[in-house]
Amino acid sequence: MRTTIRGTRGRVVACAAVAVLGAGLLGGCAEDSDRSGASGSPGGGAGKTTVTVGVFGVFGYKQAGLYDAYMKQHPDVTIKETSIERNENYYPQLLTHLSTGSGLADIQAIEVNNIAEVASTQAGKLVDLAKAPGVRKADFIPWKWAQATDRSGKTVGLGTDIGPMAVCYRKDLFAKAGLPTERDAVAALWAGDWKKYLDTGRRYMAKAPGGTAFVDSAAGVYNAVLSSSAERYYDKSGKLVYKDSPSVRQAWDAAMRAATGKMTARLQQFQKSWDQAYANGRFATVSCPPWMLGYIKEKSGKQGEDVWDVAAAPKPGNWGGSFLAVPEAGRHKSEAVKLAAWLTAPEQQAKLFAKQASFPSARAAYSLPQVADAKHPYFGNAPIGKIFAAAAEGIPTQVLGPKDLTVNQNITDVGVLQVDQQGKTPEQGWRAAVASIDNALDQ
């Protein structure tokens, strides 16, 4: 469950919140002091090859024991991981190192919001991992594989985790509002259509317990709806089309309905007030990928145990995920390719999910017991392996563009927020978002 918290906000926040997923599933991310340390024997030792891995935040390979397992199988290899806490600091450095061909680790992590730019502008500086020994395209979710593949068919990164979406909801608040509480019945309320989700919100607000709202934030609604769409800010030709995108309009309209309908708690995700709202039970639903479960558990505390549950989202969507790439300028390309292929193989992805809540991008892992049988005791023993695997299979292949993150952040943090928190009209919020995006892209 590594994350820039996913949208992206900072892998560090989510990793601080990883918790027990179920029987035999151990949570745990390193403390800050561990984030930049080397894994394995310092210096590699006589006759050993030291393979360096550069990541942002906590990817969990060290914490899940995968580096140690690999080094035990390959006694001539030492793995050294270095981490920069936040992707917004890590990624510019990665681009600089790729442009100069120096300062690169043998393996470099790439966040999903940056993969389109890397694939379109840096592919010549990265190894084609589709040709790596032991890598099988069929093992991966097709849309995840496509995200790291350029127009010529070169695959510059192997998928690590993904963020298939569900909806986490509070059974106690649903019961008080006269709504069903069993997860299949809850999922049936909005199956197939985000409009039905908002219809449920209207029903909830009609009988809402005092001081509560249906959903945490309008921005959360916007991102959830948009994540279900294939074409968003760019079209297939690479043209920026967000102003006229039907998917963006649909997501915007849903967020505006939530905001103007007073269905939201008017919060901003990953802020202190949002954390406190979990503890105080101020909202009944939140869109949640797998890595969010530990966060909810930490912030809601003991009083939220078996109160929160997990239901399928109206439509499958994705929030988060990363890749491992091997630079052509790396010192140990051959060993790096072998390690990247091993770390992203289905068996290792399943182990990482069991230990760190990182949901596999390798679909071949979904039948393995660590995933197929996974339940979360905090969430009423919800069968999270089955719920998230079903969502993962239904996610569309999304068109990604180089400035997706810039566009998205300005729409949510400027436009949507002005309507949700400041009482601006939807028209005023949209104009503010467009002006902010234009300014950001002109710089």
Side-chain angles (χ1 to χ4, degrees):
M1 164 239 49
R2 37 129 287 301
T3 323
T4 16
I5 255 202
R6 263 12 184 178
T8 66
R9 279 293 192 273
R11 182 186 286 266
V12 55
V13 180
C15 282
V18 172
V20 174
L21 284 176
L25 300 180
L26 303 178
C29 285
E31 297 298 325
D32 286 355
S33 60
D34 290 329
R35 287 196 179 107
S36 59
S39 183
S41 303
K48 289 192 174 186
T49 299
T50 298
V51 179
T52 55
V53 182
V55 302
F56 51 93
V58 178
F59 268 61
Y61 296 135
K62 174 184 175 182
Q63 293 75 16
L66 294 184
Y67 290 153
D68 287 339
Y70 188 85
M71 289 187 289
K72 186 175 181 180
Q73 294 177 22
H74 301 81
D76 57 336
V77 172
T78 293
I79 301 169
K80 180 180 179 181
E81 178 187 281
T82 58
S83 175
I84 294 175
E85 186 173 291
R86 301 184 68 84
N87 184 53
E88 53 261 44
N89 298 322
Y90 168 90
Y91 183 60
Q93 291 188 28
L94 174 60
L95 290 181
T96 298
H97 293 154
L98 284 171
S99 67
T100 62
S102 63
L104 289 159
D106 295 310
I107 295 174
Q108 295 278 178
I110 302 172
E111 214 273 343
V112 65
N113 282 297
N114 304 126
I115 194 64
E117 183 173 35
V118 169
S120 63
T121 66
Q122 306 293 327
K125 298 172 182 177
L126 299 168
V127 173
D128 186 354
L129 294 175
K131 301 176 180 178
V135 171
R136 297 178 66 249
K137 179 179 178 181
D139 283 346
F140 291 83
I141 288 284
W143 58 263
K144 181 71 171 182
W145 184 274
Q147 286 178 334
T149 302
D150 72 3
R151 293 178 181 273
S152 72
K154 182 176 183 178
T155 301
V156 300
L158 295 176
T160 57
D161 66 324
I162 55 176
M165 298 272 274
V167 174
C168 293
Y169 67 98
R170 287 189 62 119
K171 292 178 285 192
D172 59 336
L173 298 183
F174 266 47
K176 291 176 182 178
L179 294 172
T181 60
E182 194 275 327
R183 67 180 66 94
D184 288 340
V186 169
L189 290 172
W190 49 62
D193 194 341
W194 283 101
K195 290 181 180 179
K196 293 180 182 178
Y197 174 76
L198 295 173
D199 289 341
T200 304
R202 179 179 49 79
R203 289 176 57 188
Y204 177 89
M205 295 308 299
K207 297 181 179 180
T212 72
F214 177 64
V215 65
D216 62 322
S217 67
V221 173
Y222 174 86
N223 283 325
V225 176
L226 191 67
S227 75
S228 303
S229 301
E231 188 172 292
R232 306 177 302 168
Y233 301 133
Y234 289 79
D235 65 16
K236 292 181 179 180
S237 72
K239 180 182 178 182
L240 187 65
V241 296
Y242 80 93
K243 294 178 183 177
D244 302 308
S245 167
S247 299
V248 172
R249 176 52 58 184
Q250 181 185 29
W252 176 266
D253 288 346
M256 294 303 99
R257 181 181 171 192
T260 60
K262 302 188 185 306
M263 299 181 199
T264 82
R266 297 166 56 188
L267 298 166
Q268 188 172 9
Q269 292 184 331
F270 306 107
Q271 302 298 315
K272 186 175 181 179
S273 58
W274 192 62
D275 295 347
Q276 293 171 339
Y278 276 114
N280 298 332
R282 284 190 52 205
F283 54 87
T285 70
V286 62
S287 298
C288 57
W291 51 263
M292 181 80 84
L293 302 183
Y295 193 93
I296 293 173
K297 177 180 177 179
E298 183 195 40
K299 301 306 177 184
S300 296
K302 184 67 177 177
Q303 64 269 28
E305 186 171 3
D306 202 24
V307 172
W308 282 99
D309 210 322
V310 185
K315 289 185 177 182
N318 185 67
W319 184 5
S322 295
F323 301 82
L324 296 183
V326 175
E328 289 281 2
R331 294 182 61 193
H332 306 293
K333 281 197 297 183
S334 177
E335 289 296 341
V337 167
K338 292 176 185 177
L339 176 58
W342 187 86
L343 287 171
T344 56
E347 295 78 12
Q348 277 64 253
Q349 290 205 27
K351 292 173 184 175
L352 195 63
F353 173 63
K355 296 286 187 179
Q356 297 293 117
S358 298
F359 198 81
S361 62
R363 69 193 318 178
Y366 300 166
S367 61
L368 299 178
Q370 297 101 318
V371 180
D373 300 335
K375 296 183 179 180
H376 203 310
Y378 187 86
F379 292 81
N381 278 324
I384 58 172
K386 290 182 171 61
I387 290 172
F388 290 121
E393 294 283 4
I395 295 169
T397 299
Q398 295 175 329
V399 179
L400 301 180
K403 300 301 178 184
D404 273 2
L405 183 58
T406 298
V407 175
N408 193 83
Q409 286 185 333
N410 281 284
I411 289 177
T412 57
D413 296 355
V414 177
V416 175
L417 204 63
Q418 286 190 5
V419 180
D420 201 23
Q421 292 190 355
Q422 300 175 22
K424 299 290 183 66
T425 67
E427 293 76 16
Q428 289 172 324
W430 180 254
R431 286 198 298 269
V434 170
S436 185
I437 292 167
D438 287 345
N439 182 62
L441 296 183
D442 284 343
Q443 294 178 358

